Amino acid sequence: MARTHVSGFPRIGAQRELKFAQESFWRGETDEQHLRGVARELRARHWREQRDAGLDFITVGDFAYYDQMLGQSALLGALPERFGFEPMALQLGQYYELARGNAEQPAMEMTKWFDTNYHYLVPELAPDTTFNGGVNWLFDEIDEALALNAPVKPVLIGPITYLWLSKSHVAGFDRLSLLPKLVIRYSRLLDKLKQRGIEWVQLDEPALCADLPEPWLDAFCAAYDVLGTVDVKILLATYFDSAAQHAPRVARLPLAGVHVDLVRAPQQLDAWRTALPAHAVLSAGVIDGRNIWRANLPAIVDSLQELHAQFGERLWIAPSCSLLHVPVSLAAEKKLNADLKSWLAFATEKLGELRTIATALRDPAAAAAQLDAARAALDARRRSGAVVNAFVQKRVAAVSNAMAERRSPFAERNRVQRAALDLPLLPTTTIGSFPQTAAIREARAAYRRGEMRALDYLQRMRAEIEFAVRKQEALGLDVLVHGEAERNDMVEYFGEQLWGYAFTENGWVPSYGSRCVKPPVIYGDIYRPEPITVETARYAQALTQRPMKGMLTGPVTMLQWSFVRDDQPRSTTALQLALAIRDEVVDLEKAGIGIIQIDEPAFREGLPLRRKDWADYLEWATRAFRISASGVADQTQIHTHMCYSEFNDILPSIAAMDADVITIETSRSAMELLDGFGAFAYPNEIGPGVYDIHSPRVPGTDAMLRLLERACEVIPAARLWVNPDCGLKTRGWPETEAALSNMVRAAKVLREKLTVRLPAHAHAHAHATFKSSSARSLTPRSSHSSG
Ligand code: GLN
Ligand code: ZN
């Protein structure tokens, strides 16, 4: 009969035990022994769950004290030289220094794992990197697992994916040249596993689903030709997209089996079933490892019948990818609506689904009850009035292209906005949030627990807004914000007010290190029953003569940071979100808010793994943003914000979003990306972040002035704004005030320099650059820029 396994199980624990143990270890409150004990206990619990669910293997090697890529580096002995650690004697404390930095060395770089919101630590490789072996933690874990008397299948990140995701700071160095050394280390590891009595080893190669260049594909084949000579069975795991194009060459390699993602890329099945040799195992990833919906088990079983007939016990059943990306268990969800809960499956519940599929393939009658239950839940979900909202459906069907267009082109809007807003050259602003002090967080928590009355809470938040407004006025900022004291999270805050959104109590998934996020669940048609931010914005605007910027989260970010419906395309959900936000934008305008920011920090991370799929995503994502932004008059200025710096490959789409002003992250890359914006001739206004809010360090006026002058070289001063990189919620007030004060001063100094240089007769709407001799002027206004 078909066998069952998982590529990986969440390591954090149902109550985030690992997180709390890590953090108390970092604070020095508990020792290494305690942390290791908690980890051992979690591993054992998760293995028992797999064994007791009847899985044919328990998976080992998916555990990590911080991150699985860092774990792989530690196992290989490939540590960044600059730390000076001895790879084979690496201590847990040192491992955390690699991840988090120490007094001398900044942490290893962190970046997103493929198209997930999980961040891994980027291996730092150099020409002289050796892979002479590192810590033995994996082997200790294997010994623990073997004690449970179930077949143990270790999982490692494969050599090609490991190299592909690594970086070298040595110019001109081709890291692929390290492959022979790396393959030797992997062979030794496989050999050592073999000696432990291991039969199957899973090597994860999701890089095969990315756009891997030809030399890398050749290297891939060469590497596995060697690894295949070790007398242990290799299951090559691909996931997150199709690897079908590589099926013919993969099939020729000495591999014992291949795992494929049939949730993201079901169309690849035929390529694999025809390509694989008669002895090979096909692991069918049929349960969604990236989402939380209960599977359509009857349909999955039907779709596997033929495959089962062909492969017999060489058919393995698995989730599409590691279950790392879903929460641990539904058991702890006490408040969730019972219907909704019956439509969901977290990691633990997914183990049961695997079992049901395998049983049904062998003996349909034996799984009849489970299949019926799955069918009933699905039918209920399809018919539920909570999912379908006829009004929203009608509205979505009626969306026209005109709704995605502002009334006039940017140049015309810009003219009207300048007249209406009367801002100085290089207007100063912030990204939205001000420090979330302990007092603010306590007030929010007390209100949530029902310990603070609604009216008291409202007054508390209003006092915070007034405080932030007065500070901004005193600092002399030109465009103010209310400070976002009432928001815990930029998606949750809006989601809680929208129909179609639900929130779990314990639906945590890891983001990086010990940090977890709790993505809300979009289960139904999205509808905004009433205004969300309007009263707050109106209150804030009434406090000041200066323009108050309304602050919203954009449709793509709402989508990207939620668990989304699997019963309609993401693009449709994005459109529904766009309509809800559009309503809010229009209501803000009606309430007299003349500048509205629609944040889209997650716009880029929605990009598909393969470039060929980018255009489609960028099309609907851009359109969703435009629909959210285009319900207002020309005079209303729409801002957007994105906090990253890799823009150059999607600049045309950023421009197509047609925000009047975009604020972006640039300070860490010393404005490198501005070159992209300059070369592309980005048409609208832009606020390149002039200081990094991720660090408590207060930047000096001179440093910010230099960045601004660089910006002026590529973008006409008349189109530049001055702002930090991102929101200030993680900072304290003293450093925030000091930094903003320096920032405002930098803007003033540059305004003066520019007006001196520019001829007095110049026209106010010039698109000229600082250095250009034909530069013309915008005379700084004196009113509120002199605070
Ligand atoms: N307006 C939000 C803030 O200032 C934006 C946060 C973000 O970009 N992630 O906090
Ligand atoms: Zn940001």
Side-chain angles (χ1 to χ4, degrees):
M1 99 179 228
R3 296 216 244 177
T4 48
H5 74 120
V6 296
S7 310
F9 195 82
R11 56 182 176 251
I12 55 175
Q15 304 299 324
R16 286 179 294 159
E17 293 90 329
L18 185 59
K19 170 197 178 71
F20 300 117
Q22 282 165 321
E23 290 174 358
S24 83
F25 175 66
W26 296 341
R27 286 192 301 265
E29 292 165 11
T30 44
D31 59 9
E32 175 169 340
Q33 211 187 335
H34 174 261
L35 174 55
R36 288 198 180 268
V38 171
R40 198 176 318 114
E41 179 126 336
L42 284 170
R43 289 192 294 265
R45 190 198 297 165
H46 299 151
W47 292 330
R48 275 197 307 269
E49 278 198 37
Q50 293 169 49
R51 186 195 60 189
D52 297 349
L55 267 53
D56 292 287
F57 293 97
I58 57 178
T59 296
V60 179
D62 53 354
F63 180 83
Y65 279 97
Y66 194 95
D67 160 51
Q68 64 264 19
M69 275 293 268
L70 179 59
Q72 189 67 35
S73 295
L75 178 66
L76 296 166
L79 310 180
E81 225 11 81
R82 59 193 175 91
F83 282 87
F85 295 153
E86 171 53 50
M88 290 198 211
L90 186 73
Q91 300 299 301
L92 193 55
Q94 294 175 323
Y95 169 98
Y96 283 130
E97 287 175 38
L98 295 168
R100 308 173 71 223
N102 60 25
E104 284 91 47
Q105 291 295 330
M108 288 172 72
E109 187 183 332
M110 192 166 67
T111 195
K112 277 175 202 276
W113 177 247
F114 296 91
D115 62 349
T116 72
N117 199 14
Y118 175 83
H119 300 71
Y120 69 92
L121 288 164
V122 180
E124 235 174 271
L125 305 180
D128 55 357
T129 300
T130 56
F131 303 97
N132 288 339
V135 294
N136 272 321
W137 303 347
L138 174 70
F139 295 92
D140 299 340
E141 290 167 20
I142 288 172
D143 290 344
E144 288 166 35
L146 287 170
L148 287 176
N149 279 326
V152 169
K153 179 202 64 179
V155 49
L156 303 175
I157 289 162
I160 296 297
T161 296
Y162 181 80
L163 262 192
W164 177 245
L165 298 180
S166 68
K167 264 194 186 167
S168 167
H169 297 295
V170 180
F173 171 62
D174 177 9
R175 61 199 195 284
L176 199 49
S177 65
L178 293 174
L179 189 66
K181 283 195 270 183
L182 189 59
V183 167
I184 292 174
R185 176 52 42 200
Y186 270 88
S187 300
R188 299 242 162 98
L189 283 170
L190 292 180
D191 207 49
K192 210 165 149 188
L193 290 169
K194 159 88 192 154
Q195 285 160 29
R196 281 288 208 283
I198 297 296
E199 184 189 3
W200 281 93
V201 180
Q202 175 185 324
L203 291 175
D204 281 5
E205 293 286 12
L208 279 186
C209 300
D211 290 317
L212 217 49
E214 202 55 37
W216 283 78
L217 288 166
D218 291 342
F220 170 83
C221 293
Y224 280 85
D225 266 328
V226 175
L227 297 181
T229 61
V230 182
D231 185 19
V232 58
K233 291 178 178 159
I234 296 176
L235 178 73
L236 178 84
T238 67
Y239 43 83
F240 297 154
D241 208 325
S242 170
Q245 68 201 102
H246 311 309
R249 17 179 156 188
V250 169
R252 283 196 298 271
L253 298 171
L255 298 168
V258 176
H259 169 85
V260 294
D261 183 339
L262 296 179
V263 174
R264 278 280 179 92
Q267 74 284 1
Q268 65 178 324
L269 181 57
D270 275 343
W272 289 105
R273 63 188 293 176
T274 41
L276 286 181
H279 64 84
V281 157
L282 178 61
S283 167
V286 287
I287 296 287
D288 196 346
R290 295 285 295 271
N291 213 334
I292 40 121
W293 301 102
R294 192 165 176 169
N296 186 345
L297 294 179
I300 291 172
V301 171
D302 279 348
S303 74
L304 290 174
Q305 294 293 0
E306 223 177 294
L307 200 63
H308 187 231
Q310 181 187 342
F311 280 77
E313 62 176 30
R314 288 187 297 112
L315 174 65
W316 291 13
I317 312 293
S320 55
C321 60
S322 168
L323 295 172
L324 176 72
H325 310 288
V326 294
V328 178
S329 158
L330 274 171
E333 298 300 327
K334 305 288 183 220
K335 295 190 190 146
L336 210 55
N337 170 288
D339 289 337
L340 177 56
K341 193 169 167 182
S342 74
W343 306 338
L344 302 178
F346 292 176
T348 301
E349 291 76 28
K350 286 175 193 285
L351 298 180
E353 294 186 323
L354 294 176
R355 178 72 190 165
T356 300
I357 295 170
T359 308
L361 286 172
R362 177 180 43 105
D363 175 8
Q370 288 92 326
L371 292 181
D372 285 347
R375 193 180 293 114
L378 201 71
D379 286 346
R381 184 177 161 204
R382 280 198 189 119
R383 283 195 317 266
S384 168
V387 172
V388 182
N389 178 328
F391 177 77
V392 175
Q393 296 281 332
K394 230 158 118 185
R395 216 175 152 202
V396 166
V399 167
S400 64
N401 286 339
M403 286 172 74
E405 299 286 340
R406 294 290 297 270
R407 285 164 214 178
S408 308
F410 172 74
E412 171 61 13
R413 300 196 307 266
N414 193 245
R415 201 182 52 73
V416 183
Q417 288 164 18
R418 278 172 193 257
L421 292 167
D422 193 26
L423 292 168
L425 177 69
L426 304 171
T428 52
T429 191
T430 59
I431 305 305
S433 56
F434 272 105
Q436 294 244 330
T437 57
I440 292 178
R441 276 178 280 135
E442 270 157 34
R444 267 203 324 260
Y447 176 57
R448 263 181 190 260
R449 286 193 305 263
E451 288 160 18
M452 190 187 270
R453 291 185 318 159
L455 191 61
D456 295 338
Y457 178 68
L458 185 70
Q459 272 161 359
R460 250 325 296 282
M461 291 300 122
R462 292 198 159 182
E464 290 296 342
I465 294 171
E466 175 153 22
F467 179 79
V469 167
R470 298 296 167 240
K471 288 277 188 209
Q472 293 171 80
E473 287 183 324
L475 284 162
L477 287 155
D478 298 308
V479 171
L480 311 195
V481 296
H482 79 282
E484 302 181 24
E486 78 289 5
R487 303 185 190 178
N488 39 348
D489 173 279
M490 61 188 293
V491 171
E492 187 167 306
Y493 174 76
F494 288 94
E496 282 180 338
Q497 309 296 323
L498 296 172
W499 291 5
Y501 255 107
F503 295 82
T504 63
E505 285 168 87
N506 279 292
W508 298 101
V509 291
S511 169
Y512 66 90
S514 67
R515 272 286 282 266
C516 298
V517 293
K518 195 152 63 78
V521 178
I522 299 179
Y523 64 88
D525 289 338
I526 295 292
Y527 182 62
R528 185 202 70 143
E530 58 190 13
I532 302 169
T533 63
V534 174
E535 279 319 307
T536 305
R538 202 199 305 266
Y539 171 77
Q541 180 64 87
L543 291 170
T544 179
Q545 296 297 311
R546 302 182 190 195
M548 174 63 56
K549 186 159 61 163
M551 197 57 61
L552 306 174
T553 302
V556 182
T557 298
M558 294 288 292
L559 181 84
Q560 207 54 40
W561 289 350
S562 304
F563 282 119
V564 298
R565 298 169 64 166
D566 60 353
D567 57 351
Q568 69 184 17
R570 293 171 79 80
S571 54
T572 307
T573 306
L575 190 56
Q576 293 181 357
L577 287 160
L579 290 170
I581 293 154
R582 178 185 175 97
D583 291 346
E584 185 75 6
V585 170
V586 169
D587 282 344
L588 281 170
E589 180 186 61
K590 276 192 209 136
I593 305 299
I595 304 182
I596 300 164
Q597 179 171 312
I598 307 172
D599 288 326
E600 284 290 19
F603 191 86
R604 190 176 209 289
E605 72 186 53
L607 279 176
L609 286 188
R610 289 229 159 91
R611 267 196 190 248
K612 68 171 174 49
D613 302 323
W614 281 22
D616 179 53
Y617 164 77
L618 289 168
E619 218 296 294
W620 62 253
T622 303
R623 182 173 152 90
F625 179 86
R626 292 173 63 117
I627 285 173
S628 73
S630 297
V632 289
D634 287 348
Q635 186 179 318
T636 298
Q637 187 169 68
I638 299 290
H639 289 218
T640 190
H641 165 70
M642 300 183 173
C643 34
Y644 40 82
S645 51
E646 298 141 54
F647 274 104
N648 294 347
D649 45 3
I650 55 166
L651 262 171
S653 302
I654 304 290
M657 288 166 74
D658 200 25
D660 296 305
V661 182
I662 183 172
T663 55
I664 53 174
E665 191 234 81
T666 37
S667 66
R668 275 182 293 183
S669 57
M671 302 246 168
E672 249 167 51
L673 95 134
L674 277 173
D675 300 340
F677 273 81
F680 174 76
Y682 181 77
N684 301 6
E685 298 194 352
I686 172 168
V690 292
Y691 82 86
D692 177 14
I693 60 89
H694 300 90
S695 148
R697 208 177 53 87
V698 174
T701 300
D702 286 349
M704 289 190 272
L705 189 59
R706 273 198 301 279
L707 286 175
L708 277 173
E709 290 184 325
R710 268 223 56 204
C712 284
E713 289 169 16
V714 288
I715 292 168
R719 283 199 263 126
L720 276 179
W721 286 64
V722 179
N723 45 264
D725 259 355
C726 194
L728 297 158
K729 65 176 164 215
T730 56
R731 299 270 62 92
W733 269 108
E735 76 234 32
T736 294
E737 277 190 271
L740 289 178
S741 161
N742 290 348
M743 182 187 91
V744 169
R745 187 156 343 113
K748 281 185 188 157
V749 171
L750 189 55
R751 272 174 210 159
E752 244 134 66
K753 278 197 188 181
L754 288 172
T755 14
V756 169
R757 256 171 222 229
L758 303 173
H761 63 267
H763 183 262
H765 307 298
H767 286 190
T769 61
F770 181 32
K771 285 204 167 156
S772 145
S773 55
S774 67
R776 290 177 295 164
S777 151
L778 273 177
T779 312
R781 202 173 51 111
S782 55
S783 65
H784 47 243
S785 53
S786 54

